[in-house]
Amino acid sequence: MKETDLYPLLKTYLEELGFTVQAEVNNVDVVAIKEDVLLIVEMKTQLNLKLIYQGCQRQKISDNVYLAVPTLNNKKTLKERLHVLRRLNLGLLEVNLEKGTVEALIDPTEFVFRRSKRNKQKLLKEMSKRVTN
């Protein structure tokens, strides 16, 4: 599979949302425009660090940056990666080539830090019990 195999489904998906879509504009995989919204999509065959870095670089152009990858099978790994992408304000589109569908797993929104008071107290309690030499 090549990353270009993802493009036809992504194009259709974005056009159904009302966007005008073009591929390979100034080294950006997919650019979509609707009214005053500029959306950027970077595609790879795997959700890896190179793709995440590329997405972060595209945030210099637009706040609406998505990464697009084929269907991810490992749900534990997916959960961890989604957490990282949320923190980086990157969206994720999952392209299912077999079914011919695209699903937005997360949208690029501001990450809200939530700290656990219970875990913090547990950590401080454990630390206070320890004796150091």
mmCIF file of all heavy atoms in Angstrom, residues 75-119:
data_model
loop_
_atom_site.group_PDB
_atom_site.id
_atom_site.type_symbol
_atom_site.label_atom_id
_atom_site.label_comp_id
_atom_site.label_asym_id
_atom_site.label_seq_id
_atom_site.Cartn_x
_atom_site.Cartn_y
_atom_site.Cartn_z
ATOM 1 N N LYS A 75 -5.478 -1.594 19.449
ATOM 2 C CA LYS A 75 -6.270 -0.593 20.180
ATOM 3 C C LYS A 75 -5.535 -0.020 21.383
ATOM 4 O O LYS A 75 -5.722 1.133 21.736
ATOM 5 C CB LYS A 75 -7.613 -1.180 20.606
ATOM 6 C CG LYS A 75 -8.489 -1.588 19.437
ATOM 7 C CD LYS A 75 -8.722 -0.439 18.478
ATOM 8 C CE LYS A 75 -9.475 -0.875 17.244
ATOM 9 N NZ LYS A 75 -9.522 0.122 16.199
ATOM 10 N N LYS A 76 -4.649 -0.803 22.031
ATOM 11 C CA LYS A 76 -3.889 -0.285 23.169
ATOM 12 C C LYS A 76 -2.909 0.788 22.691
ATOM 13 O O LYS A 76 -2.825 1.872 23.250
ATOM 14 C CB LYS A 76 -3.130 -1.403 23.883
ATOM 15 C CG LYS A 76 -2.353 -0.905 25.096
ATOM 16 C CD LYS A 76 -1.610 -2.032 25.786
ATOM 17 C CE LYS A 76 -0.948 -1.649 27.072
ATOM 18 N NZ LYS A 76 -0.073 -0.533 27.054
ATOM 19 N N THR A 77 -2.197 0.480 21.621
ATOM 20 C CA THR A 77 -1.269 1.449 21.043
ATOM 21 C C THR A 77 -2.023 2.672 20.544
ATOM 22 O O THR A 77 -1.570 3.799 20.713
ATOM 23 C CB THR A 77 -0.478 0.805 19.893
ATOM 24 O OG1 THR A 77 0.216 -0.335 20.403
ATOM 25 C CG2 THR A 77 0.523 1.764 19.295
ATOM 26 N N LEU A 78 -3.187 2.451 19.952
ATOM 27 C CA LEU A 78 -3.993 3.553 19.445
ATOM 28 C C LEU A 78 -4.375 4.510 20.567
ATOM 29 O O LEU A 78 -4.253 5.729 20.424
ATOM 30 C CB LEU A 78 -5.250 3.023 18.761
ATOM 31 C CG LEU A 78 -6.239 4.080 18.286
ATOM 32 C CD1 LEU A 78 -5.599 5.008 17.262
ATOM 33 C CD2 LEU A 78 -7.480 3.422 17.712
ATOM 34 N N LYS A 79 -4.787 3.982 21.703
ATOM 35 C CA LYS A 79 -5.168 4.823 22.845
ATOM 36 C C LYS A 79 -4.005 5.713 23.279
ATOM 37 O O LYS A 79 -4.179 6.905 23.527
ATOM 38 C CB LYS A 79 -5.635 3.941 24.007
ATOM 39 C CG LYS A 79 -6.104 4.718 25.195
ATOM 40 C CD LYS A 79 -6.570 3.810 26.314
ATOM 41 C CE LYS A 79 -6.939 4.637 27.535
ATOM 42 N NZ LYS A 79 -7.308 3.812 28.669
ATOM 43 N N GLU A 80 -2.820 5.140 23.342
ATOM 44 C CA GLU A 80 -1.634 5.913 23.746
ATOM 45 C C GLU A 80 -1.323 7.004 22.725
ATOM 46 O O GLU A 80 -1.020 8.141 23.085
ATOM 47 C CB GLU A 80 -0.438 4.976 23.892
ATOM 48 C CG GLU A 80 -0.578 3.979 25.027
ATOM 49 C CD GLU A 80 0.452 2.864 24.984
ATOM 50 O OE1 GLU A 80 1.215 2.764 23.999
ATOM 51 O OE2 GLU A 80 0.472 2.064 25.946
ATOM 52 N N ARG A 81 -1.407 6.662 21.457
ATOM 53 C CA ARG A 81 -1.097 7.637 20.405
ATOM 54 C C ARG A 81 -2.148 8.735 20.328
ATOM 55 O O ARG A 81 -1.810 9.893 20.082
ATOM 56 C CB ARG A 81 -0.928 6.924 19.071
ATOM 57 C CG ARG A 81 0.324 6.064 19.089
ATOM 58 C CD ARG A 81 0.533 5.311 17.834
ATOM 59 N NE ARG A 81 1.731 4.481 17.984
ATOM 60 C CZ ARG A 81 2.206 3.721 17.039
ATOM 61 N NH1 ARG A 81 1.616 3.675 15.866
ATOM 62 N NH2 ARG A 81 3.277 3.000 17.244
ATOM 63 N N LEU A 82 -3.407 8.383 20.558
ATOM 64 C CA LEU A 82 -4.447 9.407 20.571
ATOM 65 C C LEU A 82 -4.205 10.419 21.676
ATOM 66 O O LEU A 82 -4.436 11.616 21.493
ATOM 67 C CB LEU A 82 -5.829 8.760 20.732
ATOM 68 C CG LEU A 82 -6.376 8.006 19.528
ATOM 69 C CD1 LEU A 82 -7.707 7.345 19.872
ATOM 70 C CD2 LEU A 82 -6.515 8.910 18.323
ATOM 71 N N HIS A 83 -3.731 9.941 22.826
ATOM 72 C CA HIS A 83 -3.422 10.848 23.938
ATOM 73 C C HIS A 83 -2.356 11.852 23.512
ATOM 74 O O HIS A 83 -2.484 13.061 23.755
ATOM 75 C CB HIS A 83 -2.964 10.056 25.161
ATOM 76 C CG HIS A 83 -2.563 10.926 26.297
ATOM 77 N ND1 HIS A 83 -3.473 11.590 27.089
ATOM 78 C CD2 HIS A 83 -1.341 11.274 26.758
ATOM 79 C CE1 HIS A 83 -2.827 12.311 27.997
ATOM 80 N NE2 HIS A 83 -1.528 12.130 27.811
ATOM 81 N N VAL A 84 -1.310 11.374 22.861
ATOM 82 C CA VAL A 84 -0.230 12.256 22.402
ATOM 83 C C VAL A 84 -0.758 13.245 21.365
ATOM 84 O O VAL A 84 -0.476 14.445 21.436
ATOM 85 C CB VAL A 84 0.957 11.438 21.829
ATOM 86 C CG1 VAL A 84 1.969 12.345 21.163
ATOM 87 C CG2 VAL A 84 1.608 10.614 22.934
ATOM 88 N N LEU A 85 -1.544 12.766 20.419
ATOM 89 C CA LEU A 85 -2.081 13.653 19.383
ATOM 90 C C LEU A 85 -2.999 14.714 19.970
ATOM 91 O O LEU A 85 -2.966 15.874 19.540
ATOM 92 C CB LEU A 85 -2.821 12.839 18.317
ATOM 93 C CG LEU A 85 -1.948 11.897 17.490
ATOM 94 C CD1 LEU A 85 -2.794 11.119 16.500
ATOM 95 C CD2 LEU A 85 -0.829 12.634 16.786
ATOM 96 N N ARG A 86 -3.798 14.342 20.974
ATOM 97 C CA ARG A 86 -4.653 15.346 21.642
ATOM 98 C C ARG A 86 -3.797 16.445 22.272
ATOM 99 O O ARG A 86 -4.127 17.622 22.180
ATOM 100 C CB ARG A 86 -5.518 14.684 22.710
ATOM 101 C CG ARG A 86 -6.758 14.069 22.192
ATOM 102 C CD ARG A 86 -7.700 13.646 23.324
ATOM 103 N NE ARG A 86 -8.731 12.792 22.787
ATOM 104 C CZ ARG A 86 -8.701 11.465 22.808
ATOM 105 N NH1 ARG A 86 -7.714 10.822 23.384
ATOM 106 N NH2 ARG A 86 -9.666 10.767 22.275
ATOM 107 N N ARG A 87 -2.743 16.030 22.937
ATOM 108 C CA ARG A 87 -1.866 17.013 23.598
ATOM 109 C C ARG A 87 -1.201 17.938 22.593
ATOM 110 O O ARG A 87 -0.884 19.077 22.907
ATOM 111 C CB ARG A 87 -0.831 16.309 24.454
ATOM 112 C CG ARG A 87 -1.459 15.628 25.667
ATOM 113 C CD ARG A 87 -0.411 15.113 26.588
ATOM 114 N NE ARG A 87 0.251 16.225 27.245
ATOM 115 C CZ ARG A 87 0.380 16.359 28.544
ATOM 116 N NH1 ARG A 87 -0.130 15.454 29.347
ATOM 117 N NH2 ARG A 87 1.013 17.376 29.052
ATOM 118 N N LEU A 88 -0.983 17.437 21.381
ATOM 119 C CA LEU A 88 -0.344 18.237 20.332
ATOM 120 C C LEU A 88 -1.361 18.998 19.477
ATOM 121 O O LEU A 88 -0.984 19.684 18.533
ATOM 122 C CB LEU A 88 0.508 17.335 19.435
ATOM 123 C CG LEU A 88 1.722 16.701 20.108
ATOM 124 C CD1 LEU A 88 2.368 15.677 19.183
ATOM 125 C CD2 LEU A 88 2.723 17.769 20.524
ATOM 126 N N ASN A 89 -2.649 18.850 19.795
ATOM 127 C CA ASN A 89 -3.734 19.506 19.048
ATOM 128 C C ASN A 89 -3.771 19.067 17.579
ATOM 129 O O ASN A 89 -4.040 19.869 16.690
ATOM 130 C CB ASN A 89 -3.633 21.034 19.138
ATOM 131 C CG ASN A 89 -3.666 21.528 20.545
ATOM 132 O OD1 ASN A 89 -4.309 20.937 21.410
ATOM 133 N ND2 ASN A 89 -2.964 22.611 20.817
ATOM 134 N N LEU A 90 -3.486 17.785 17.343
ATOM 135 C CA LEU A 90 -3.558 17.230 15.997
ATOM 136 C C LEU A 90 -4.769 16.313 15.892
ATOM 137 O O LEU A 90 -5.079 15.582 16.829
ATOM 138 C CB LEU A 90 -2.290 16.412 15.681
ATOM 139 C CG LEU A 90 -1.000 17.196 15.541
ATOM 140 C CD1 LEU A 90 0.202 16.254 15.512
ATOM 141 C CD2 LEU A 90 -1.029 18.068 14.290
ATOM 142 N N GLY A 91 -5.446 16.351 14.745
ATOM 143 C CA GLY A 91 -6.558 15.449 14.508
ATOM 144 C C GLY A 91 -6.062 14.164 13.868
ATOM 145 O O GLY A 91 -4.936 14.103 13.352
ATOM 146 N N LEU A 92 -6.891 13.133 13.889
ATOM 147 C CA LEU A 92 -6.526 11.857 13.271
ATOM 148 C C LEU A 92 -7.699 11.321 12.466
ATOM 149 O O LEU A 92 -8.809 11.171 12.983
ATOM 150 C CB LEU A 92 -6.111 10.827 14.320
ATOM 151 C CG LEU A 92 -5.679 9.467 13.767
ATOM 152 C CD1 LEU A 92 -4.408 9.604 12.921
ATOM 153 C CD2 LEU A 92 -5.455 8.472 14.895
ATOM 154 N N LEU A 93 -7.429 11.052 11.197
ATOM 155 C CA LEU A 93 -8.404 10.435 10.306
ATOM 156 C C LEU A 93 -7.962 9.007 10.026
ATOM 157 O O LEU A 93 -6.815 8.773 9.633
ATOM 158 C CB LEU A 93 -8.497 11.204 8.983
ATOM 159 C CG LEU A 93 -8.943 12.658 9.087
ATOM 160 C CD1 LEU A 93 -8.809 13.350 7.741
ATOM 161 C CD2 LEU A 93 -10.367 12.752 9.602
ATOM 162 N N GLU A 94 -8.872 8.073 10.244
ATOM 163 C CA GLU A 94 -8.588 6.665 9.977
ATOM 164 C C GLU A 94 -9.286 6.284 8.672
ATOM 165 O O GLU A 94 -10.496 6.440 8.544
ATOM 166 C CB GLU A 94 -9.093 5.810 11.134
ATOM 167 C CG GLU A 94 -8.723 4.352 11.003
ATOM 168 C CD GLU A 94 -9.188 3.551 12.209
ATOM 169 O OE1 GLU A 94 -10.418 3.493 12.449
ATOM 170 O OE2 GLU A 94 -8.334 2.996 12.902
ATOM 171 N N VAL A 95 -8.490 5.811 7.707
ATOM 172 C CA VAL A 95 -9.011 5.457 6.388
ATOM 173 C C VAL A 95 -9.108 3.942 6.286
ATOM 174 O O VAL A 95 -8.099 3.243 6.391
ATOM 175 C CB VAL A 95 -8.088 6.014 5.278
ATOM 176 C CG1 VAL A 95 -8.640 5.662 3.908
ATOM 177 C CG2 VAL A 95 -7.903 7.517 5.432
ATOM 178 N N ASN A 96 -10.319 3.451 6.105
ATOM 179 C CA ASN A 96 -10.534 2.011 5.955
ATOM 180 C C ASN A 96 -10.676 1.723 4.462
ATOM 181 O O ASN A 96 -11.728 1.975 3.865
ATOM 182 C CB ASN A 96 -11.770 1.560 6.721
ATOM 183 C CG ASN A 96 -11.928 0.065 6.750
ATOM 184 O OD1 ASN A 96 -11.667 -0.617 5.762
ATOM 185 N ND2 ASN A 96 -12.358 -0.453 7.886
ATOM 186 N N LEU A 97 -9.605 1.220 3.860
ATOM 187 C CA LEU A 97 -9.600 0.964 2.422
ATOM 188 C C LEU A 97 -10.549 -0.163 2.035
ATOM 189 O O LEU A 97 -11.132 -0.135 0.956
ATOM 190 C CB LEU A 97 -8.175 0.657 1.955
ATOM 191 C CG LEU A 97 -7.195 1.826 2.074
ATOM 192 C CD1 LEU A 97 -5.771 1.372 1.824
ATOM 193 C CD2 LEU A 97 -7.575 2.949 1.133
ATOM 194 N N GLU A 98 -10.715 -1.148 2.905
ATOM 195 C CA GLU A 98 -11.614 -2.274 2.604
ATOM 196 C C GLU A 98 -13.076 -1.837 2.554
ATOM 197 O O GLU A 98 -13.823 -2.208 1.663
ATOM 198 C CB GLU A 98 -11.438 -3.392 3.627
ATOM 199 C CG GLU A 98 -10.118 -4.117 3.516
ATOM 200 C CD GLU A 98 -9.949 -5.191 4.588
ATOM 201 O OE1 GLU A 98 -10.945 -5.527 5.270
ATOM 202 O OE2 GLU A 98 -8.822 -5.692 4.734
ATOM 203 N N LYS A 99 -13.470 -1.029 3.530
ATOM 204 C CA LYS A 99 -14.865 -0.568 3.602
ATOM 205 C C LYS A 99 -15.096 0.697 2.782
ATOM 206 O O LYS A 99 -16.240 1.078 2.544
ATOM 207 C CB LYS A 99 -15.264 -0.297 5.054
ATOM 208 C CG LYS A 99 -15.321 -1.531 5.922
ATOM 209 C CD LYS A 99 -15.750 -1.163 7.318
ATOM 210 C CE LYS A 99 -15.801 -2.371 8.233
ATOM 211 N NZ LYS A 99 -16.172 -1.993 9.611
ATOM 212 N N GLY A 100 -14.006 1.382 2.416
ATOM 213 C CA GLY A 100 -14.144 2.628 1.672
ATOM 214 C C GLY A 100 -14.647 3.777 2.516
ATOM 215 O O GLY A 100 -15.407 4.616 2.050
ATOM 216 N N THR A 101 -14.219 3.811 3.793
ATOM 217 C CA THR A 101 -14.704 4.843 4.709
ATOM 218 C C THR A 101 -13.551 5.627 5.333
ATOM 219 O O THR A 101 -12.410 5.157 5.389
ATOM 220 C CB THR A 101 -15.532 4.226 5.857
ATOM 221 O OG1 THR A 101 -14.704 3.312 6.582
ATOM 222 C CG2 THR A 101 -16.748 3.507 5.321
ATOM 223 N N VAL A 102 -13.885 6.808 5.813
ATOM 224 C CA VAL A 102 -12.962 7.647 6.573
ATOM 225 C C VAL A 102 -13.671 8.040 7.862
ATOM 226 O O VAL A 102 -14.838 8.435 7.830
ATOM 227 C CB VAL A 102 -12.557 8.917 5.791
ATOM 228 C CG1 VAL A 102 -11.679 9.824 6.641
ATOM 229 C CG2 VAL A 102 -11.858 8.551 4.494
ATOM 230 N N GLU A 103 -12.956 7.913 8.983
ATOM 231 C CA GLU A 103 -13.533 8.288 10.271
ATOM 232 C C GLU A 103 -12.572 9.223 10.999
ATOM 233 O O GLU A 103 -11.383 8.934 11.095
ATOM 234 C CB GLU A 103 -13.776 7.044 11.125
ATOM 235 C CG GLU A 103 -14.379 7.359 12.477
ATOM 236 C CD GLU A 103 -14.562 6.127 13.355
ATOM 237 O OE1 GLU A 103 -14.242 5.007 12.927
ATOM 238 O OE2 GLU A 103 -15.008 6.322 14.504
ATOM 239 N N ALA A 104 -13.105 10.333 11.492
ATOM 240 C CA ALA A 104 -12.314 11.250 12.317
ATOM 241 C C ALA A 104 -12.299 10.694 13.736
ATOM 242 O O ALA A 104 -13.314 10.730 14.426
ATOM 243 C CB ALA A 104 -12.898 12.645 12.285
ATOM 244 N N LEU A 105 -11.148 10.148 14.162
ATOM 245 C CA LEU A 105 -11.044 9.602 15.518
ATOM 246 C C LEU A 105 -10.925 10.723 16.539
ATOM 247 O O LEU A 105 -11.478 10.628 17.629
ATOM 248 C CB LEU A 105 -9.853 8.651 15.614
ATOM 249 C CG LEU A 105 -9.922 7.410 14.724
ATOM 250 C CD1 LEU A 105 -8.711 6.522 14.953
ATOM 251 C CD2 LEU A 105 -11.201 6.632 14.960
ATOM 252 N N ILE A 106 -10.182 11.763 16.188
ATOM 253 C CA ILE A 106 -10.121 12.964 17.029
ATOM 254 C C ILE A 106 -9.985 14.180 16.120
ATOM 255 O O ILE A 106 -9.446 14.097 15.021
ATOM 256 C CB ILE A 106 -8.955 12.942 18.060
ATOM 257 C CG1 ILE A 106 -7.609 12.725 17.399
ATOM 258 C CG2 ILE A 106 -9.205 11.942 19.153
ATOM 259 C CD1 ILE A 106 -6.431 12.888 18.328
ATOM 260 N N ASP A 107 -10.474 15.307 16.606
ATOM 261 C CA ASP A 107 -10.348 16.572 15.891
ATOM 262 C C ASP A 107 -9.270 17.415 16.557
ATOM 263 O O ASP A 107 -9.018 17.261 17.757
ATOM 264 C CB ASP A 107 -11.681 17.316 15.896
ATOM 265 C CG ASP A 107 -12.746 16.575 15.101
ATOM 266 O OD1 ASP A 107 -12.458 16.192 13.959
ATOM 267 O OD2 ASP A 107 -13.858 16.390 15.635
ATOM 268 N N PRO A 108 -8.646 18.314 15.801
ATOM 269 C CA PRO A 108 -7.604 19.159 16.386
ATOM 270 C C PRO A 108 -8.206 20.269 17.251
ATOM 271 O O PRO A 108 -8.675 21.276 16.751
ATOM 272 C CB PRO A 108 -6.876 19.734 15.169
ATOM 273 C CG PRO A 108 -7.890 19.696 14.080
ATOM 274 C CD PRO A 108 -8.805 18.552 14.380
ATOM 275 N N THR A 109 -8.244 20.026 18.550
ATOM 276 C CA THR A 109 -8.790 21.010 19.487
ATOM 277 C C THR A 109 -7.768 21.270 20.583
ATOM 278 O O THR A 109 -6.844 20.485 20.796
ATOM 279 C CB THR A 109 -10.094 20.507 20.128
ATOM 280 O OG1 THR A 109 -9.828 19.265 20.779
ATOM 281 C CG2 THR A 109 -11.190 20.308 19.097
ATOM 282 N N GLU A 110 -7.958 22.363 21.276
ATOM 283 C CA GLU A 110 -7.059 22.691 22.381
ATOM 284 C C GLU A 110 -7.122 21.612 23.452
ATOM 285 O O GLU A 110 -8.208 21.187 23.853
ATOM 286 C CB GLU A 110 -7.430 24.040 22.999
ATOM 287 C CG GLU A 110 -7.096 25.224 22.128
ATOM 288 C CD GLU A 110 -5.599 25.420 21.944
ATOM 289 O OE1 GLU A 110 -4.832 25.254 22.915
ATOM 290 O OE2 GLU A 110 -5.195 25.728 20.806
ATOM 291 N N PHE A 111 -5.966 21.193 23.922
ATOM 292 C CA PHE A 111 -5.900 20.174 24.968
ATOM 293 C C PHE A 111 -6.103 20.836 26.329
ATOM 294 O O PHE A 111 -5.509 21.874 26.625
ATOM 295 C CB PHE A 111 -4.539 19.466 24.934
ATOM 296 C CG PHE A 111 -4.402 18.389 25.969
ATOM 297 C CD1 PHE A 111 -5.019 17.165 25.790
ATOM 298 C CD2 PHE A 111 -3.685 18.601 27.132
ATOM 299 C CE1 PHE A 111 -4.916 16.159 26.740
ATOM 300 C CE2 PHE A 111 -3.561 17.610 28.085
ATOM 301 C CZ PHE A 111 -4.185 16.388 27.887
ATOM 302 N N VAL A 112 -6.968 20.242 27.135
ATOM 303 C CA VAL A 112 -7.216 20.742 28.488
ATOM 304 C C VAL A 112 -6.524 19.798 29.466
ATOM 305 O O VAL A 112 -6.833 18.609 29.512
ATOM 306 C CB VAL A 112 -8.734 20.809 28.790
ATOM 307 C CG1 VAL A 112 -8.974 21.271 30.210
ATOM 308 C CG2 VAL A 112 -9.428 21.709 27.787
ATOM 309 N N PHE A 113 -5.586 20.338 30.220
ATOM 310 C CA PHE A 113 -4.874 19.523 31.202
ATOM 311 C C PHE A 113 -5.785 19.222 32.382
ATOM 312 O O PHE A 113 -6.389 20.135 32.954
ATOM 313 C CB PHE A 113 -3.620 20.251 31.718
ATOM 314 C CG PHE A 113 -2.514 20.301 30.714
ATOM 315 C CD1 PHE A 113 -2.410 21.350 29.827
ATOM 316 C CD2 PHE A 113 -1.575 19.281 30.650
ATOM 317 C CE1 PHE A 113 -1.398 21.400 28.895
ATOM 318 C CE2 PHE A 113 -0.557 19.320 29.726
ATOM 319 C CZ PHE A 113 -0.466 20.378 28.840
ATOM 320 N N ARG A 114 -5.887 17.965 32.712
ATOM 321 C CA ARG A 114 -6.655 17.555 33.890
ATOM 322 C C ARG A 114 -5.714 16.806 34.808
ATOM 323 O O ARG A 114 -5.187 15.764 34.452
ATOM 324 C CB ARG A 114 -7.809 16.647 33.483
ATOM 325 C CG ARG A 114 -8.836 17.369 32.668
ATOM 326 C CD ARG A 114 -10.029 16.489 32.384
ATOM 327 N NE ARG A 114 -10.631 16.976 31.153
ATOM 328 C CZ ARG A 114 -11.036 16.219 30.171
ATOM 329 N NH1 ARG A 114 -10.923 14.918 30.255
ATOM 330 N NH2 ARG A 114 -11.564 16.739 29.098
ATOM 331 N N ARG A 115 -5.515 17.356 35.955
ATOM 332 C CA ARG A 115 -4.620 16.718 36.918
ATOM 333 C C ARG A 115 -5.438 15.989 37.971
ATOM 334 O O ARG A 115 -6.473 16.473 38.403
ATOM 335 C CB ARG A 115 -3.713 17.756 37.536
ATOM 336 C CG ARG A 115 -2.756 18.304 36.479
ATOM 337 C CD ARG A 115 -1.707 19.192 37.066
ATOM 338 N NE ARG A 115 -0.691 19.541 36.109
ATOM 339 C CZ ARG A 115 -0.831 20.362 35.079
ATOM 340 N NH1 ARG A 115 -2.001 20.896 34.833
ATOM 341 N NH2 ARG A 115 0.167 20.631 34.282
ATOM 342 N N SER A 116 -4.940 14.855 38.385
ATOM 343 C CA SER A 116 -5.640 14.024 39.353
ATOM 344 C C SER A 116 -5.162 14.368 40.759
ATOM 345 O O SER A 116 -4.004 14.111 41.112
ATOM 346 C CB SER A 116 -5.373 12.547 39.058
ATOM 347 O OG SER A 116 -5.835 11.756 40.116
ATOM 348 N N LYS A 117 -6.053 14.934 41.555
ATOM 349 C CA LYS A 117 -5.704 15.251 42.943
ATOM 350 C C LYS A 117 -5.437 13.975 43.726
ATOM 351 O O LYS A 117 -4.536 13.921 44.554
ATOM 352 C CB LYS A 117 -6.832 16.052 43.607
ATOM 353 C CG LYS A 117 -6.963 17.451 43.070
ATOM 354 C CD LYS A 117 -8.081 18.208 43.764
ATOM 355 C CE LYS A 117 -8.219 19.587 43.173
ATOM 356 N NZ LYS A 117 -9.294 20.340 43.794
ATOM 357 N N ARG A 118 -6.230 12.937 43.446
ATOM 358 C CA ARG A 118 -6.059 11.666 44.142
ATOM 359 C C ARG A 118 -4.678 11.065 43.857
ATOM 360 O O ARG A 118 -3.971 10.641 44.776
ATOM 361 C CB ARG A 118 -7.152 10.688 43.716
ATOM 362 C CG ARG A 118 -7.173 9.432 44.594
ATOM 363 C CD ARG A 118 -8.202 8.428 44.135
ATOM 364 N NE ARG A 118 -7.504 7.521 43.244
ATOM 365 C CZ ARG A 118 -7.969 7.039 42.116
ATOM 366 N NH1 ARG A 118 -9.156 7.363 41.703
ATOM 367 N NH2 ARG A 118 -7.265 6.227 41.386
ATOM 368 N N ASN A 119 -4.266 11.051 42.594
ATOM 369 C CA ASN A 119 -2.945 10.506 42.251
ATOM 370 C C ASN A 119 -1.812 11.359 42.821
ATOM 371 O O ASN A 119 -0.782 10.832 43.232
ATOM 372 C CB ASN A 119 -2.795 10.360 40.746
ATOM 373 C CG ASN A 119 -3.614 9.208 40.203
ATOM 374 O OD1 ASN A 119 -4.058 8.343 40.959
ATOM 375 N ND2 ASN A 119 -3.812 9.197 38.905
#
